[in-house]
């Protein structure tokens, strides 16, 4: 009886996938870490998981970044136990909005560095959370009263995460 | 180390634009909602359920229940402002967020679709300065 052998994909093909997967696992880990942090309220997290989205965007392109954002929220909420709850919907909207915003900024804004991209991503994330809650759960514009101070905090974390992302990517490409 | 935090020219322009827009909207919002005495507005989804004045110094605290999507949310109004003391939701973010009394503060319980928003000038703000 002939044995069935499936041809194995060449290593070069697996390499990119393995890198993406490693970064996905890192993003999931950071997602869980941030969920466990004593936070400044449910609206605010440092956004370290979005930092990985940004790294994937500049290392592997827009498709990989979007896939990572979706995969991270989906699998992350498996572990936290929030799958398909409002928390999950809000995380997903925020993560996707940040990814899309960062892709647009990366592609179309001349002279922008990872810091500016991360800044815009953080702002988009915060705005998307509020728009999602306002349109799906609590249809009151009074929600937006709380937005400006949170957006100011987003500016700070977005900037710092961008600087971290730039440092990490420089180390990865042996520039420093 | 600080060199790491230095953005490009485009980055700094974006930051400046964001800061100006955020600060301007903050002023506009504050000027619209800080007039009049301090009240807590309580919403469920699209509906304004009630508006309560925040208790002044020496006034008794009051507690009541609001029916939300999942069940009853218990709210207490006292000298410290308004807070949610118990909620049927699993996250309990609304309970942990504590007491609020400044115009523009909100307490939101998304799973139960409850929102408490504070408008108006709080008379007890002087205490906060003395503290």
């Amino acid at each position: 009886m002939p044995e069935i052998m499936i041809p194995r994909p060449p290593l070069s093909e697996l390499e990119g996938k393995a890198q993406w997967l490693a970064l996905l696992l890192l993003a999931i880990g950071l997602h869980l870490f941030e969920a466990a942090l004593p936070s400044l309220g449910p609206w605010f997290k440092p956004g370290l998981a979005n930092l990985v989205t940004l790294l994937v965007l500049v290392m592997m392109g827009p498709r990989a970044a979007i896939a990572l954002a979706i995969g991270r929220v989906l699998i992350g909420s498996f572990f936290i136990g929030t799958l398909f709850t409002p928390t999950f919907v809000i995380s997903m909207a925020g993560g996707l909005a940040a990814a899309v915003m960062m892709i647009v900024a990366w592609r179309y804004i001349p002279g922008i560095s990872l810091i500016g991209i991360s800044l815009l991503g953080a702002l988009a994330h915060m705005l998307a959370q509020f728009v999602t809650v306002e349109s799906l759960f609590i249809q009151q514009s009074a929600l937006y009263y709380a937005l400006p101070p949170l957006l100011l905090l987003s500016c700070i974390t977005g900037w710092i995460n961008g600087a971290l992302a730039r440092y990490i990517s420089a180390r990865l490409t042996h520039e420093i | 180390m600080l060199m790491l935090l230095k953005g490009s020219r485009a980055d700094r322009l974006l930051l400046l634009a964001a800061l100006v827009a955020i600060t301007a909207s903050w002023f506009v919002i504050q000027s619209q909602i800080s007039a009049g005495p301090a009240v807590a507005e309580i919403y469920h989804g699209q509906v304004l359920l009630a508006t309560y004045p925040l208790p002044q110094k020496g006034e008794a605290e009051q507690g009541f229940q609001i029916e939300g999507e999942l069940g009853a949310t218990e709210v207490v109004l006292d000298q410290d402002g308004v807070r949610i003391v118990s909620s049927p939701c699993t996250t309990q973010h609304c309970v942990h967020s504590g007491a609020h009394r400044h115009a523009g503060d909100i307490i939101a319980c998304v799973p139960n679709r409850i929102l408490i928003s504070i408008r108006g000038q709080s008379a007890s703000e002087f205490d906060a300065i003395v503290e």
Side-chain angles (χ1 to χ4, degrees):
Chain A
M1 206 171 83
E3 284 175 33
I4 299 167
M5 292 288 287
I6 299 169
R8 294 198 296 172
L11 276 181
S12 58
E13 205 176 284
L14 286 177
E15 200 189 327
K17 289 178 182 163
Q19 277 179 351
W20 182 84
L21 209 55
L23 287 161
L24 176 67
L25 293 176
L26 175 64
I28 293 168
L30 289 171
H31 186 92
L32 299 186
F33 171 70
E34 288 192 313
L37 274 185
S39 64
L40 285 158
W43 309 99
F44 193 75
K45 299 212 160 65
L48 292 169
N50 272 329
L51 193 161
V52 184
T53 310
L54 175 56
L55 279 177
V56 169
L57 171 65
V58 293
M59 286 166 72
M60 303 171 191
R63 268 165 179 273
I66 293 273
L68 183 111
I70 295 173
R72 179 270 281 185
V73 175
L74 199 65
I75 301 169
S77 31
F78 248 84
F79 286 105
I80 311 171
T82 56
L83 197 65
F84 305 133
T85 63
T87 311
F88 166 79
V89 178
I90 297 165
S91 287
M92 187 61 97
L96 276 177
V100 170
M101 186 67 186
M102 291 194 292
I103 291 168
V104 171
W106 171 70
R107 187 164 277 175
Y108 297 110
I109 300 181
I112 199 169
S113 84
L114 291 191
I115 292 182
I117 299 174
S118 168
L119 172 75
L120 291 177
L123 293 174
H125 193 288
M126 185 60 79
L127 274 172
Q129 289 187 131
F130 275 78
V131 171
T132 309
V133 171
E134 206 261 351
S135 52
L136 294 182
F137 304 111
I138 303 170
Q139 292 82 355
Q140 298 299 335
S141 55
L143 268 179
Y144 295 115
Y145 299 163
L147 199 46
L150 289 170
L151 283 174
L152 284 181
L153 286 174
S154 293
C155 285
I156 299 172
T157 56
W159 195 274
I160 293 174
N161 285 342
L164 280 173
R166 201 170 58 168
Y167 177 74
I168 294 169
S169 66
R171 286 297 291 255
L172 286 173
T173 51
H174 306 292
E175 279 167 25
I176 40 175
Chain B
M1 211 42 207
L2 277 175
M3 274 303 287
L4 278 174
L5 285 171
K6 198 166 179 290
S8 70
R9 209 180 127 76
D11 296 342
R12 290 197 295 271
L13 282 174
L14 280 171
L15 178 65
L16 186 70
L19 290 179
V20 168
I22 294 166
T23 319
S25 62
W26 200 349
F27 273 113
V28 170
I29 288 173
Q30 282 296 327
S31 66
Q32 280 181 1
I33 61 172
S34 49
V39 293
E41 293 174 336
I42 298 166
Y43 302 92
H44 171 227
Q46 295 167 314
V47 190
L48 172 65
L49 295 177
T51 304
Y52 286 91
L54 291 188
Q56 304 295 311
K57 220 172 170 48
E59 284 179 10
E61 71 164 52
Q62 40 181 327
F64 45 90
Q65 293 197 333
I66 326 158
E67 223 27 70
E69 214 70 8
L70 305 172
T73 293
E74 247 185 279
V75 179
V76 165
L77 286 161
D78 63 14
Q79 306 298 319
D80 295 331
V82 54
R83 66 198 146 94
I84 291 179
V85 286
S86 87
S87 165
C89 63
T90 49
T91 52
Q92 300 288 309
H93 287 311
C94 54
V95 178
H96 295 149
S97 91
H100 294 265
R101 65 177 176 194
H102 298 291
D105 284 355
I106 60 167
I107 309 173
C109 183
V110 177
N112 213 15
R113 296 182 66 198
I114 298 288
L115 175 72
I116 302 173
S117 143
I118 297 170
R119 309 171 64 103
Q121 212 58 53
S122 169
S124 44
E125 242 156 53
F126 294 106
D127 303 341
I129 296 165
V130 173
E131 279 162 20

